[in-house]
């Protein structure tokens, strides 16, 4: 997934697909990886329908990031919001499930609270992340986005995909 810094709610995201397993790609040298990615850039699938490659490249000059896009069965994306007080105490404010479009790239809204089966875990993990942020001197709002899915072996996996140090959802 290639994300523009200026994108909002998934607009400005593009999916760059590999035609090989990620472990195979990971065996390439850095130069081989760069050449491979460069050859695939113009084949990216853009979330924003009226966005084309030249405009995307122009907008990318302002900043962006490349992330691994994880897919799986029974995919959902819970989130937790917290606040780090000036005394560095961490307070969990809320949890929710992010509602995404069928591509999994565009944020449509949310349902409060996060699903019962994951709510306790993400609250605990978000508190741990908040404690780490507070030890670094962060004060204020933060949120942590997760994904939950069944992997190729049918096992449920949970991954942190984003930490926002700002007031979010």
């Amino acid at each position: 997934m290639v994300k523009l810094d200026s994108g909002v709610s998934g607009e400005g995201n593009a999916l760059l697909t590999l035609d090989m397993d990620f472990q195979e790609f990971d065996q390439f040298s850095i130069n081989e990886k760069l050449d491979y990615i460069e050859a695939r850039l113009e084949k990216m699938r853009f979330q924003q329908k009226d966005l084309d490659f030249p405009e995307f490249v122009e907008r990318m000059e302002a900043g962006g990031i490349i992330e691994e896009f994880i897919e799986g069965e029974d995919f959902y994306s819970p989130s937790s919001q917290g606040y780090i007080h000036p005394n560095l105490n961490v307070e969990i404010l809320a949890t929710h499930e992010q509602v995404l479009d069928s591509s999994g790239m565009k944020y449509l809204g949310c349902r409060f609270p996060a699903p019962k089966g994951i709510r306790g875990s993400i609250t605990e993990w978000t508190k741990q992340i908040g404690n780490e942020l507070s030890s670094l001197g962060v004060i204020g709002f933060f949120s942590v986005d997760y994904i939950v899915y069944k992997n190729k072996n049918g096992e449920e996996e949970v991954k942190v995909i984003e930490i926002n140090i700002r007031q979010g959802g």
Side-chain angles (χ1 to χ4, degrees), residues 18 29 43 59 75 79 85 106 118 120 130-131 137 160 163-164:
L18 306 178
S29 71
K43 298 175 181 156
R59 290 173 60 189
F75 180 94
S79 181
H85 293 274
K106 185 174 182 182
I118 194 71
N131 286 330
V160 172
I163 300 171
N164 296 297

Side-chain angles (χ1 to χ4, degrees), residues 31-84:
N31 288 333
E32 290 170 324
K33 287 177 182 176
L34 292 172
D35 289 344
Y36 180 83
I37 289 171
E38 185 176 355
R40 302 202 54 83
L41 285 174
E42 291 195 38
K43 298 175 181 156
M44 288 190 299
R45 188 180 77 212
F46 299 103
Q47 177 65 33
Q48 187 177 330
K49 301 301 180 210
D50 62 344
L51 187 61
D52 60 15
F53 186 73
E55 183 181 349
F56 188 84
V57 170
E58 185 177 313
R59 290 173 60 189
M60 181 57 88
E61 289 178 10
I65 189 167
I66 297 175
E67 303 174 341
E68 181 181 4
F69 185 72
I70 300 172
E71 298 177 286
E73 298 294 318
D74 300 328
F75 180 94
Y76 64 101
S77 184
S79 181
S80 186
Q81 298 74 47
Y83 187 81
I84 303 169

